Amino acid sequence: MTAVLASSTTADPRRRPPLEVSFSRLGRSFGTSSDRRVVLRDVTVDIRPGEVLAILGTSGCGKSTLLRAAAGLDTPDAGSVLIDGTEVRGIDERCAVAFQEPRLLPWHTLQANVAIGLPKSSSASAGKAKVAELLKLVGLDRFAKHRPREVSGGMAQRASLARALARTPGVLLLDEPFGALDALTRLKMQDLLLEIHAAQPTTVLLVTHDVDEALQLADRILVLGSSGDGPGSTVKDLIPVPGARPRDRSSRELAELRRNLLALLGVAAH
Amino acid sequence: MTAPTTPAAVPARSRSRGTGTGRRVRTTLLGLIVPALLLGAWQVSSATGAFTAVQLPPPGAVAAAGAELLERGELGVHLGISTQRVLLGFAAGGALGLTAGAVLGLSRTADALLGPTIGAVRAVPSLAWVPLLILWIGINEDSKVTLILIGAFFPVFTTVSLALRHVDRNLVEAGRAFGLTGLRLLTTVQLPAIIPAVFSGLRLALAQSWLFLVAAELIAASMGLGWLLSDSQNNGRVDRIFLAIVLLAVLGKTTDALLGLAQRWAVRRWA
């Protein structure tokens, strides 16, 4: 695996460097004027290039909405998202998304699905090599010709991750990518993500509702939730996670932080 | 496809394929029982004199009429020209239906703008177009093919435009997230997702094409199966009327079966 990772860092010289992401007073409401529901309010946060930021919050708090704004899949009605200093308007080439469901095209092989992530500019031969390399990176090289329904959920999710990486993104947006996987597969995927991040540094925004996942993967954890008197969610806390990755899942320091985070999310510590 | 993910997957599939062929043969044979019985009943009722030969010529007389026309080289011409008209009109109408269905299925504005008009045009009965087409295009191949085109257009248009509204939103969003837009999004995600609906529309359109063919040939033609019908009616050749009807039924069913084979392949490929 290490040999694969080492070669992949040098294989593509056109790879984008990690990019900075800034949310600036971002707000988003849904519904008609008579029945308006504020989801996000006044979200301001700067994510450093190459940082892994976990976005944590209860379900329905607007985590995915925040991520979709960065991807250009959704347009905020207040404030803005800047990537590398320029505002996101529409689908952004510099980002790549992996969703909670794999969302692979069922009539294509895994290989062809990963190829959909390739940037428009890439040549056919370079693209083919890149897809093969990524399939190897996520451990799917033997399944390149399989259709999505012929592989397990975890494998499909790895293909989805490879499709996002094919874009050589400056910012990788992950919307609860391991949320639908079983516990064991989820731990393996978390390790895989760390390996990928070490091999191909990129800024990662990871939406999750799993406190342990955030503690294991993130440099900082953004807790999203209602705060103050206004409606909707905003930045409740922004917490740096101590220790270099990979972290000991049972360390005392993290246990303390876990307790605090759960309290912020409204779960009592027992 | 080469290696199964679960050990059970491949044996199950090959088993179902094995019995599938057997079942298909059995289904075909079952489907031939009623036509054979009808043929027998036809033979018996004309032989016993329950009907006069003018009302119901025996199967043998119809076959003889067919053989005679074949010998004179006329039957081949009728069959050829009718098939050609149907295939041309079906291809053009299907392509137009697919295009219009894609535009109205994907754009709410286009649907609001053009939907009511297309719906009204669809309500016009096929025969009502004939005088207009003759006036505008003339008595020639183009007017006949155009009438069949009209018949083939609507089934494809309707099924495609409706199916495109129900494509999995998550897949479309994933496609958009990876920079696919417009025609590339249509051909990469949306069209493959509605392949089964496209084929249902095409099969309806093909059946409609044969209906419209007869309408076109009954009125202003000098050859073709529809012309054979009207000409035989004028000459009192009931045997030839039966011949034309049987040939239309067989041709329609055969082309539909061929399209069904293509459908089965496509659904397996894109499902």
Side-chain angles (χ1 to χ4, degrees):
Chain A
M1 194 59 121
T2 33
V4 175
L5 296 180
S7 72
S8 62
T9 48
T10 51
D12 188 1
R14 296 175 299 114
R15 203 160 49 79
R16 275 193 196 83
L19 299 175
E20 183 188 30
V21 182
S22 307
F23 294 96
S24 161
R25 303 189 65 88
L26 186 116
R28 181 74 170 104
S29 312
F30 289 102
T32 54
S33 53
S34 60
D35 180 29
R36 205 154 179 76
R37 196 167 57 85
V38 177
V39 173
L40 290 174
R41 166 178 59 88
D42 213 13
V43 175
T44 299
V45 59
D46 292 321
I47 301 114
R48 294 184 289 267
E51 179 177 10
V52 179
L53 180 85
I55 301 168
L56 199 61
T58 52
S59 81
C61 76
K63 303 184 294 282
S64 294
T65 307
L66 192 64
L67 203 71
R68 292 166 54 82
L73 287 169
D74 188 45
T75 317
D77 26 45
S80 60
V81 190
L82 301 180
I83 292 180
D84 197 26
T86 53
E87 194 174 343
V88 173
R89 293 176 187 279
I91 307 297
D92 204 293
E93 263 254 295
R94 300 168 292 180
C95 296
V97 199
F99 302 93
Q100 180 171 1
E101 326 78 43
R103 299 198 190 179
L104 302 171
L105 301 179
W107 51 86
H108 276 333
T109 59
L110 295 187
Q111 185 179 287
N113 267 294
V114 172
I116 285 179
L118 292 169
K120 259 188 217 146
S121 55
S122 49
S123 72
S125 59
K128 213 174 168 188
K130 177 92 192 159
V131 168
E133 177 196 311
L134 285 169
L135 283 170
K136 204 162 185 183
L137 179 65
V138 297
L140 287 175
D141 41 342
R142 287 195 304 116
F143 297 91
K145 300 269 198 254
H146 280 56
R147 301 267 200 106
R149 85 165 80 83
E150 296 168 330
V151 302
S152 69
M155 289 158 88
Q157 199 54 279
R158 275 187 272 159
S160 160
L161 198 57
R163 178 178 61 183
L165 292 170
R167 212 142 178 78
T168 60
V171 184
L172 184 59
L173 303 166
L174 305 175
D175 190 358
E176 299 193 34
F178 315 136
L181 302 177
D182 67 273
L184 208 59
T185 311
R186 191 181 313 159
L187 294 183
K188 285 183 185 160
M189 290 289 284
Q190 290 169 4
D191 288 344
L192 175 67
L193 182 64
L194 288 182
E195 282 174 36
I196 290 169
H197 186 253
Q200 304 194 0
T202 170
T203 309
V204 178
L205 270 64
L206 171 76
V207 162
T208 181
H209 54 247
D210 181 345
V211 173
D212 288 306
E213 184 167 282
L215 286 171
Q216 188 61 24
L217 298 177
D219 294 303
R220 286 189 297 167
I221 299 176
L222 170 71
V223 182
L224 217 52
S226 59
S227 130
D229 46 359
S233 304
T234 187
V235 179
K236 216 170 171 182
D237 213 338
L238 189 58
I239 305 166
V241 184
R245 291 177 297 245
R247 300 184 181 115
D248 179 2
R249 289 182 211 272
S250 55
S251 97
R252 187 183 296 260
E253 208 176 10
L254 292 186
E256 181 61 32
L257 196 48
R258 177 181 304 119
R259 202 192 317 271
N260 293 344
L261 285 166
L262 285 172
L264 274 172
L265 295 170
V267 180
H270 297 294
Chain B
M1 279 290 181
T2 46
T5 38
T6 55
V10 155
R13 172 167 300 185
S14 58
R15 192 165 56 236
S16 74
R17 191 170 291 169
T19 56
T21 317
R23 193 172 341 128
R24 219 169 294 154
V25 171
R26 210 162 53 235
T27 313
T28 312
L29 288 178
L30 269 177
L32 288 174
I33 290 179
V34 173
L37 286 177
L38 282 175
L39 194 64
W42 178 9
Q43 175 66 42
V44 168
S45 54
S46 52
T48 55
F51 296 95
T52 63
V54 176
Q55 287 172 312
L56 187 69
V62 172
E68 186 210 339
L69 283 177
L70 192 65
E71 224 164 88
R72 299 211 314 240
E74 285 176 32
L75 193 60
V77 173
H78 295 319
L79 286 174
I81 194 70
S82 287
T83 309
Q84 177 188 314
R85 286 166 182 159
V86 162
L87 292 185
L88 285 176
F90 169 68
L96 279 177
L98 196 61
T99 311
V103 172
L104 271 74
L106 295 177
S107 159
R108 297 238 162 244
T109 316
D111 186 38
L113 185 71
L114 301 171
T117 313
I118 295 183
V121 173
R122 176 174 45 195
V124 176
S126 58
L127 286 175
W129 292 110
V130 174
L132 205 58
L133 289 175
I134 289 176
L135 195 65
W136 284 351
I137 306 179
I139 300 180
N140 52 24
E141 285 305 299
D142 290 352
S143 61
K144 294 180 190 63
V145 171
T146 306
L147 186 67
I148 296 166
L149 179 158
I150 294 172
F153 172 85
F154 287 107
V156 179
F157 164 76
T158 310
T159 46
V160 166
S161 63
L162 287 179
L164 278 175
R165 298 212 187 112
H166 298 108
V167 175
D168 183 353
R169 280 164 194 277
N170 280 346
L171 274 190
V172 175
E173 188 186 63
R176 287 209 305 129
F178 286 99
L180 298 177
T181 50
L183 201 60
R184 281 191 65 215
L185 186 64
L186 178 71
T187 53
T188 313
V189 181
Q190 287 149 326
L191 218 46
I194 62 157
I195 285 288
V198 171
F199 270 92
S200 313
L202 285 176
R203 288 181 78 169
L204 289 171
L206 186 60
Q208 190 105 301
S209 299
W210 285 104
L211 294 180
F212 277 56
L213 167 85
V214 175
E217 290 182 342
L218 273 178
I219 290 170
S222 55
M223 49 187 173
L225 290 172
W227 174 83
L228 184 63
L229 270 176
S230 65
D231 185 61
S232 308
Q233 185 189 10
N234 296 337
N235 298 330
R237 291 294 300 263
V238 188
D239 50 349
R240 287 190 187 166
I241 293 181
F242 269 83
L243 177 71
I245 290 174
V246 169
L247 285 177
L248 280 170
V250 170
L251 268 181
K253 180 59 201 157
T254 308
T255 47
D256 180 63
L258 289 175
L259 197 55
L261 281 180
Q263 176 179 29
R264 196 173 303 151
W265 170 81
V267 167
R268 211 167 36 223
R269 167 68 185 78
W270 275 284

